[in-house]
């Protein structure tokens, strides 16, 4: 009997990791899974905990796919699910039923309360300083029918928010929506607090509620300064918050006092910014709403030039429109001269940039007999007609030119030595970080811009998941840039040029096509490119562990 070597069958399985190991590592660094499992509890029969489901949802949100959550389980098909989520976790465990139950658990606990607990741990764990917080709101569109608050869904209680039509920042007035308000840190844009509201809720209503709830629930060091847009600035809010918080807010130019101030200040009353080129300031005291404030009138040279171009277009368009209306007015007959004069005055009141000149009321005789009148024909009556020309009103236009490029920032901090005009503008410009956060949440590369879930409760929970994804992204980007700064090093950007401030989005894109190879069910190897090996040392240790098996 010929004895030969027995052939051993080798089973090779290749699963995708891509950039998801970076995301999983940041989630681990924050401790999101442990916090959620501690707060929501667990059941011995659960194959996957609530915290692990949330981790999977965040990874799904940032998977660079526009697949909505109703394709949740399909997303993890072919992914290294057990490697990324936890030992023993299979893709089939992450099904729609489990997802729905966890979303409802999150709602029942309180999405804002749970989020702020996670944010507090993040701030404490990473020693993040919060000299100021930035507050803003947006709307997110949804598809499908939703039960109104006053209605019942079977035997369930009334839904917590109204999914309804309202002012859409996305210009999708055809879709119903809900609102999302965020409070973030300054330059980093780390979200500290979030609230979901009715689709027709205004920021002017949401901001006061959010301030009070944040102050009641935040356990960390007090946030010394809150920065908000003009939605905060109304008499009711100013009176209610004249004490207890320090704030900076843009003053809406719909307020008469603000309009007059921006129009009447002379160029020589402004001083040049010390640290920001092309900005000039004029600081005045105000007691609007009987609350003492410091108003900083800001003049931006760049914005001024843009406003002047727009003003010229408006003047030209106004002349074309009003001149056409004047020609029609000149054709109109009036029974007496006072009526014609009155009509001319009413017309002039509606002129924005022009005035009437060479105004003349012409009397036109009428005769009983038609045709050319004979010398002996008697005038039966007169009609009166307006004749005039339009000219530019230089005083009005000059006032508009003075106002170009100007806006007002207000604060209840009155000591200019502690909060200078430069610092006030700097803090307000950092408001862009919150706006970038909203763009992140709505970006279809990270998540579908329209929500497809059919329960308002689940939508509230999903909004928290999306904001957690923003937290993970913002913290990961901050850690990356801090590591590069500490090492005095750079990484190549999209164009191959060195940068010390790469976006995490670009770094994630560099980790496409990373695979975990299993040989006979045992993790064997992960092949990384030179660029990926160059990047990994600047990522957190938890992220590195997902790419190094040793």
């Amino acid at each position: 009997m010929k004895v030969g070597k027995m052939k051993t069958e080798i089973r090779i399985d290749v699963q995708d990791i891509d950039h998801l190991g970076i995301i999983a590592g940041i989630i681990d660094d924050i401790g999101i899974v442990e916090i959620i499992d501690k707060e929501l509890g667990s059941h011995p029969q659960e194959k996957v905990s609530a915290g692990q489901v949330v981790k999977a949802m965040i990874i799904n949100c940032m998977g660079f796919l526009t697949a909505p959550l109703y394709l949740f389980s399909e997303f993890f098909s072919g992914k290294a699910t057990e490697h990324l989520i936890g030992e023993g976790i299979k893709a089939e465990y992450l099904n729609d039923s489990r997802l729905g139950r966890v979303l409802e658990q999150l709602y029942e606990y309180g999405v804002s309360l749970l989020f702020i607990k996670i944010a507090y741990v993040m701030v404490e764990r990473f020693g993040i300083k919060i000299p100021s917080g930035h507050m803003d709101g947006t709307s997110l569109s949804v598809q499908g029918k939703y039960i109104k608050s006053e209605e019942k869904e079977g035997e369930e209680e009334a839904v917590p928010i109204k999914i309804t039509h309202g002012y859409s920042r996305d210009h999708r007035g055809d879709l119903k929506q809900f609102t999302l308000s965020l409070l973030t840190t300054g330059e980093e844009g780390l979200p500290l607090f979030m609230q979901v509201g009715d689709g027709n809720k205004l920021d002017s209503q949401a901001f006061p509620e959010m301030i009070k709830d944040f102050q009641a629930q935040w356990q960390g060091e007090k946030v010394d300064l809150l920065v908000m847009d003009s939605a905060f600035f109304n008499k009711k809010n100013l009176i209610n918050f004249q004490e207890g918080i320090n704030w900076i807010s843009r003053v809406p130019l719909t307020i008469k006092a603000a309009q007059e101030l921006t129009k009447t200040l002379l160029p020589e009353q402004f001083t040049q910014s010390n640290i920001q080129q092309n900005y000039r300031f004029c600081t005045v005291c105000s007691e609007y709403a009987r609350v003492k404030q410091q108003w900083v009138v800001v003049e931006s040279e760049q914005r001024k030039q843009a406003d002047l171009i727009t003003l010229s277009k408006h003047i030209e368009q106004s002349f074309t429109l009003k001149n056409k209306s004047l020609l029609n007015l000149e054709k109109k007959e009036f029974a007496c001269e006072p009526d014609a004069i009155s009509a001319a005055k009413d017309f002039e009141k509606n002129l924005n940039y022009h005035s009437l000149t060479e105004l003349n009321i012409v009397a036109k005789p009428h005769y009983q007999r038609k045709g050319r009148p004979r010398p002996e024909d008697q005038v039966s009556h007169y009609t009166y007609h307006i004749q005039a020309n339009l000219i530019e009103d230089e005083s009005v236009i000059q006032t508009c030119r003075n106002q170009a490029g100007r806006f007002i920032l207000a604060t209840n901090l009155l000591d200019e030595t502690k909060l200078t005009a430069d610092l006030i503008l700097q803090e307000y410009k950092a408001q862009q970080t919150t706006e970038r956060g909203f763009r992140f949440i709505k970006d279809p590369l990270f998540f579908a811009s329209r929500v497809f879930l059919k329960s308002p409760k689940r939508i509230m929970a999903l909004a928290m998941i999306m904001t957690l994804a923003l937290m993970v992204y913002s913290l990961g980007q901050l850690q990356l840039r801090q590591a590069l700064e500490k090492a005095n090093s750079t990484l190549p950007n999209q164009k191959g040029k060195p940068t010390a401030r790469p976006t995490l989005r670009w770094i994630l894109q560099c980790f496409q096509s990373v695979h975990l190879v299993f040989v006979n069910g045992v993790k064997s190897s992960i092949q990384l490119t030179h660029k990926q090996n160059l990047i990994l040392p600047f990522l957190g240790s938890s992220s590195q562990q997902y790419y190094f098996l040793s």
Side-chain angles (χ1 to χ4, degrees):
M1 178 178 174
K2 188 175 181 180
V3 179
K5 292 183 179 180
M6 295 181 61
K7 292 184 177 179
T8 303
E9 182 180 353
I10 299 176
R11 292 181 292 105
I12 296 178
D13 183 23
V14 180
Q15 298 179 0
D16 298 334
I17 297 179
D18 299 329
H19 63 286
L20 304 180
I22 299 174
I23 304 303
I26 302 169
I27 294 170
D28 294 345
D29 282 338
I30 298 172
I32 291 176
V33 174
E34 293 76 13
I35 295 169
I36 291 176
D37 285 343
K38 177 184 176 183
E39 298 300 326
L40 299 188
S42 59
H43 193 278
Q45 295 181 339
E46 288 177 350
K47 293 182 179 180
V48 54
S49 73
Q52 289 172 324
V53 171
V54 169
K55 182 179 183 180
M57 284 192 278
I58 295 171
I59 289 174
N60 184 194
C61 286
M62 302 177 70
F64 286 157
L65 297 173
T66 54
L69 283 185
Y70 64 69
L71 298 178
F72 187 56
S73 57
E74 284 83 348
F75 172 83
F76 284 96
S77 178
K79 301 285 193 303
T81 308
E82 185 174 358
H83 184 67
L84 294 167
I85 308 300
E87 186 177 353
I89 306 299
K90 298 180 180 180
E92 55 263 33
Y93 297 165
L94 301 169
N95 52 55
D96 293 346
S97 176
R98 183 66 181 131
L99 168 66
R101 289 197 303 273
V102 170
L103 288 173
E104 289 177 0
Q105 279 183 280
L106 295 173
Y107 165 75
E108 295 296 339
Y109 183 92
V111 293
S112 295
L113 177 59
L114 184 56
F115 184 88
I116 201 172
K117 287 187 176 183
I118 296 172
Y120 169 72
V121 171
M122 173 195 67
V123 168
E124 291 295 306
R125 185 167 292 182
F126 294 97
I128 296 168
K129 302 299 181 184
I130 317 171
S132 62
H134 295 258
M135 191 176 296
D136 205 352
T138 192
S139 59
L140 289 94
S141 302
V142 295
Q143 293 182 339
K145 292 185 177 181
Y146 293 87
I147 308 298
K148 294 182 179 179
S149 292
E150 64 269 14
E151 297 175 359
K152 298 283 184 176
E153 189 176 1
E155 297 299 321
E156 291 187 68
E157 61 183 21
V159 297
I161 59 170
K162 285 196 293 185
I163 308 296
T164 184
H165 293 285
Y167 172 69
S168 173
R169 277 84 162 183
D170 303 324
H171 308 291
R172 288 302 308 265
D174 57 316
L175 296 177
K176 291 185 177 182
Q177 63 182 25
F178 63 93
T179 56
L180 175 64
S181 300
L182 292 183
L183 175 64
T184 68
T185 61
E187 185 179 353
E188 304 87 3
L190 291 163
L192 301 175
F193 193 51
M194 53 82 63
Q195 276 191 342
V196 185
D198 296 345
N200 56 3
K201 192 167 192 175
L202 301 175
D203 286 348
S204 57
Q205 301 168 325
F207 287 177
E209 295 176 12
M210 195 167 182
I211 293 170
K212 291 176 182 177
D213 290 344
F214 177 75
Q215 288 179 320
Q217 297 176 25
W218 182 248
Q219 297 177 349
E221 291 185 13
K222 182 181 178 182
V223 179
D224 292 330
L225 182 66
L226 290 181
V227 185
M228 295 159 282
D229 64 18
S230 58
F232 169 80
F233 200 91
N234 59 55
K235 289 183 178 181
K236 182 178 179 181
N237 288 343
L238 295 181
I239 293 170
N240 289 340
F241 293 101
Q242 59 182 313
E243 296 179 355
I245 66 164
N246 299 322
W247 51 261
I248 293 174
S249 174
R250 185 162 178 162
V251 181
L253 291 181
T254 52
I255 294 175
K256 187 176 180 180
Q259 288 180 0
E260 291 298 319
L261 187 60
T262 54
K263 288 178 180 178
T264 56
L265 284 175
L266 300 174
E268 53 267 27
Q269 293 178 269
F270 286 79
T271 57
Q272 183 65 41
S273 167
N274 293 321
I275 58 176
Q276 303 189 68
Q277 193 176 5
N278 297 325
Y279 283 97
R280 302 198 309 151
F281 305 121
C282 180
T283 303
V284 300
C285 296
S286 171
E287 291 194 9
Y288 180 77
R290 297 183 180 179
V291 176
K292 290 184 177 180
Q293 303 158 52
Q294 181 185 176
W295 280 17
V296 179
V297 184
V298 183
E299 185 176 273
S300 163
E301 185 61 32
Q302 183 178 2
R303 181 170 174 176
K304 182 176 183 178
Q305 296 306 318
D307 285 353
L308 289 175
I309 293 172
T310 302
L311 176 62
S312 296
K313 291 179 181 179
H314 286 171
I315 293 171
E316 185 178 342
Q317 292 168 357
S318 179
F319 177 80
T320 302
L321 182 64
K322 297 300 183 182
N323 197 50
K324 184 178 179 180
S325 299
L326 179 58
L327 292 175
N328 291 330
L329 185 62
E330 288 179 336
K331 296 175 184 178
K332 191 173 180 180
E333 296 179 346
F334 294 93
C336 62
E337 185 174 354
D339 286 351
I341 294 173
S342 177
K345 289 181 178 179
D346 289 340
F347 177 82
E348 194 167 25
K349 288 178 182 177
N350 293 318
L351 296 176
N352 297 320
Y353 308 107
H354 299 85
S355 60
L356 292 177
T357 185
E358 300 176 5
L359 176 62
N360 190 24
I361 308 300
V362 178
K364 180 180 178 181
H366 293 263
Y367 301 87
Q368 291 181 350
R369 189 174 62 85
K370 293 182 179 180
R372 179 178 294 180
R374 298 173 183 176
E376 66 272 16
D377 288 345
Q378 297 293 318
V379 176
S380 62
H381 66 282
Y382 286 91
T383 57
Y384 296 85
H385 299 260
I386 297 171
Q387 286 185 350
N389 291 313
L390 280 181
I391 61 168
E392 291 184 358
D393 190 329
E394 283 301 326
S395 62
V396 171
I397 293 174
Q398 186 57 48
T399 300
C400 293
R401 289 194 184 110
N402 288 343
Q403 196 177 21
R406 294 178 180 178
F407 59 95
I408 302 175
L409 300 177
T411 179
N412 61 343
L413 283 169
L414 304 179
D415 190 345
E416 292 184 44
T417 60
K418 292 183 178 179
L419 193 63
T420 64
D422 272 308
L423 289 176
I424 290 172
L425 177 60
Q426 190 173 323
E427 283 289 354
Y428 184 74
K429 290 177 73 174
Q431 190 79 351
Q432 297 172 359
T433 59
T434 311
E435 295 167 1
R436 284 199 296 268
F438 289 135
R439 289 198 296 271
F440 170 92
I441 288 173
K442 296 180 181 185
D443 190 336
L445 275 177
F446 288 95
F447 200 82
S449 61
R450 288 178 295 279
V451 183
F452 292 83
L453 299 181
K454 301 305 178 186
S455 162
K457 291 182 180 180
R458 294 185 181 186
I459 284 176
M460 289 184 71
L462 178 59
M464 189 197 82
I465 300 296
M466 296 165 78
T467 313
L468 282 175
L470 172 61
M471 176 190 290
V472 167
Y473 179 89
S474 302
L475 179 64
Q477 183 166 272
L478 174 63
Q479 288 181 299
L480 171 66
R481 292 175 176 179
Q482 286 179 338
L484 288 168
E485 183 181 10
K486 185 177 180 180
N488 194 24
S489 187
T490 62
L491 289 172
N493 63 11
Q494 292 92 323
K495 297 181 180 179
K497 296 182 179 179
T499 176
R501 292 182 62 80
T503 64
L504 185 63
R505 179 169 178 162
W506 163 241
I507 297 300
L508 298 180
Q509 289 173 339
C510 292
F511 277 78
Q512 299 305 294
S513 301
V514 178
H515 310 290
L516 172 60
V517 179
F518 290 81
V519 178
N520 293 330
V522 178
K523 295 177 184 178
S524 175
S525 65
I526 298 176
Q527 296 295 322
L528 299 175
T529 66
H530 171 71
K531 181 186 287 186
Q532 291 162 353
N533 278 309
L534 185 67
I535 294 171
L536 271 176
F538 299 104
L539 300 175
S541 58
S542 296
S543 294
Q544 294 176 23
Q545 290 175 5
Y546 284 94
Y547 296 94
F548 297 133
L549 299 182
S550 58

